[in-house]
Amino acid sequence: MRTSAGPSPTHPAGAGPSPVGSPPAGSARAELAQRQAELLAALLGHAPAPHGFDGHRVGVEAGALRAKRRRVLARLVDDEVVDALGPRLEEHLDRWVREHPRRTGTGFHDDADAFTASLRRDGLLPRRHRARWPWSTRG
Amino acid sequence: MSADGVAPRGVGIGWRPEIDLTVERLPGVDFVEVVAEDLAPAALPASLGVLRARGVPVVPHAVSCSLGGAEPLRTDRVDHLGAVAEAVGATLVSDHVAFVRAGGLESGHLLPVPRTRDALDVLVSNVRAAQDRLPVPLALENIAALLEWPDAELDEGAFLAELCERTGALLVLDVANLHACAVNLGQDPERVLDRLPLERVAYVHAAGGVERDGLYHDTHAHALTEPVLDLLASVCARRRPPGVLLERDDRYPPSAELAAELAALRRVHDAATVPS
């Protein structure tokens, strides 16, 4: 489990986080950061509910987080994806959100692009064809 | 600091691209709120230009500053909110008492912070850092929670009151979220209201939700319910807020239904006495 933010390799240059100073190790802030990371890990399905939290509620909230991310992705993906997957879209979205937590520095559009790219890699989307104009000299 | 100088007045609605024309055509929209993360300051949707030309104030509302988060504050998110504020001529911006990132991962959803002094210190530090960068005052919204941290040291009202006291921040008081916490956490909304500095409330949020298996889900996808309208009335009876905003994010109903909900909010708001 990661415990520090660090710059994300996908974050565009010139738009970095400019943090207000990383908390000194052992400080109250660092301890809170650790506890928040543990709760989020549980909510993302990577870890059990931390001590003192209601496990049932953590499960319900985890479901709400997944549902929200699926809804956002379903709205953002191209029609190509919706058409290709049909009723199986939800199942693929659910697998995606469970297996690929969204990293800091990536937005919902990046998430949708990455999901689409993974479907293409898995052969679930038709191959993309270059537009062929009638007057093109290329084959 | 009182909210009265910068707060939007009257009854408003959340502007969403899916209902942009509806919002433009709805009668009696006194102000709108926009989700800052959905906007590029240099390329605002034409619909917002139409509203601004009509003199309708626009309030940018962020969801990703993670002011309650203990990771280093993402100043790029704060700066984006500030840029949207400048682009729309806002007098005020808002975000939430929540965190949305930890351990390098995003929740994509507003999560509650512990109600401890240590967490309050982090929140105060982040809010002050954000205020230093923002061109306009910042208002903070209370969130709906399904779960809460163990070992709370302060109740919700005291936590928010001290946050305002130490930072000078304003409040976006979400009565649907107060109701959600009442159902889900047994939190007494009237006790929260007893403690809040109501003169700091810039505007109230009202939204619909749904109860499932004994838990209330703040969906913003259902009609307003009586308990939420009753809480709005309670707030207005204590101190009439400058503005009240209807939030709807999904399952958009016909515009007549939205108009009826705005009218319901206006009836409650108008019935209250304007503070002198």
Side-chain angles (χ1 to χ4, degrees):
Chain A
M1 174 179 60
R2 295 179 57 185
T3 54
S4 66
S8 161
T10 62
H11 198 78
S18 315
V20 179
S22 290
S27 68
R29 184 162 184 146
E31 196 189 309
L32 180 61
Q34 174 70 23
R35 293 179 73 207
Q36 287 177 337
E38 285 167 359
L39 176 61
L40 183 53
L43 291 171
L44 294 174
H46 307 159
H51 178 72
F53 283 93
D54 180 320
H56 171 69
R57 297 284 179 104
V58 168
V60 173
E61 182 78 316
L65 261 64
R66 283 194 301 274
K68 182 165 179 175
R69 193 168 159 215
R70 286 196 309 264
R71 263 197 315 274
V72 173
L73 286 175
R75 274 207 313 244
L76 289 180
V77 291
D78 288 340
D79 290 343
E80 177 197 17
V81 172
V82 175
D83 292 342
L85 295 183
R88 298 191 62 206
L89 175 61
E90 276 303 299
E91 166 201 329
H92 284 283
L93 282 171
D94 194 60
R95 184 174 314 134
W96 175 259
V97 307
R98 286 175 188 273
E99 294 175 6
H100 300 90
R102 192 162 63 90
R103 304 208 157 276
T104 296
T106 66
F108 281 112
H109 289 277
D110 300 316
D111 198 13
D113 290 346
F115 172 60
T116 303
S118 79
L119 295 173
R120 215 177 289 285
R121 274 196 305 274
D122 291 345
L124 290 163
L125 298 179
R127 284 182 171 281
R128 278 196 286 206
H129 297 281
R130 233 183 296 227
R132 293 177 194 280
W133 299 103
W135 52 84
S136 171
T137 56
R138 296 200 301 189
Chain B
M1 175 197 187
S2 158
D4 294 338
V6 295
R9 316 200 79 80
V11 176
I13 188 167
W15 181 94
R16 305 284 180 264
E18 295 92 335
I19 54 168
D20 58 358
L21 283 179
T22 299
V23 170
E24 285 174 49
R25 292 171 186 167
L26 271 174
V29 170
D30 298 322
F31 70 101
V32 296
E33 186 195 66
V34 292
V35 176
E37 286 77 0
D38 291 344
L39 298 180
L44 294 177
S47 178
L48 287 181
V50 168
L51 292 168
R52 291 193 62 216
R54 227 185 266 167
V56 176
V58 178
V59 181
H61 183 64
V63 298
S64 69
C65 292
S66 199
L67 295 169
E71 286 198 339
L73 181 69
R74 296 275 305 191
T75 53
D76 60 329
R77 304 318 315 156
V78 175
D79 291 345
H80 178 80
L81 177 58
V84 173
E86 279 169 342
V88 301
T91 57
L92 171 79
V93 294
S94 52
D95 200 311
H96 303 77
V97 179
F99 76 102
V100 300
R101 63 185 57 95
L105 300 177
E106 299 285 310
S107 63
H109 191 65
L110 300 161
L111 298 176
V113 300
R115 274 186 269 104
T116 60
R117 297 217 151 273
D118 285 345
L120 185 51
D121 287 345
V122 166
L123 195 43
V124 166
S125 172
N126 286 341
V127 168
R128 285 180 180 156
Q131 287 169 320
D132 283 346
R133 304 181 78 92
L134 289 166
V136 293
L138 171 65
L140 301 169
E141 181 183 339
N142 58 302
I143 66 165
L146 276 175
L147 47 78
E148 62 187 338
W149 293 73
D151 309 324
E153 294 165 10
L154 293 157
D155 64 39
E156 176 80 347
F159 190 84
L160 293 173
E162 191 170 325
L163 174 60
C164 288
E165 171 74 35
R166 289 169 63 181
T167 61
L170 299 174
L171 289 170
V172 173
L173 177 53
D174 191 307
V175 290
N177 293 348
L178 281 184
H179 177 63
C181 293
V183 173
N184 297 337
L185 307 176
Q187 206 174 85
D188 183 346
E190 295 297 332
R191 276 206 58 197
V192 176
L193 294 177
D194 284 342
R195 295 281 233 145
L196 289 184
L198 292 175
E199 74 281 2
R200 303 267 187 143
V201 174
Y203 58 103
V204 167
H205 267 178
V210 67
E211 207 167 303
R212 253 193 316 262
D213 303 325
L215 291 179
Y216 182 91
H217 297 264
D218 177 47
T219 60
H220 300 183
H222 298 85
L224 291 173
T225 58
E226 281 310 305
V228 172
L229 286 166
D230 288 345
L231 272 177
L232 173 62
S234 178
V235 171
C236 289
R238 292 163 179 267
R239 191 182 198 276
R240 186 180 188 262
V244 182
L245 186 106
L246 175 66
E247 286 189 290
R248 186 74 181 233
D249 296 341
D250 207 348
R251 298 177 68 248
Y252 298 102
S255 55
E257 217 173 289
L258 289 175
E261 296 212 305
L262 286 178
L265 294 176
R266 190 176 301 283
R267 268 194 302 278
V268 175
H269 194 231
D270 283 354
T273 319
V274 178
S276 51

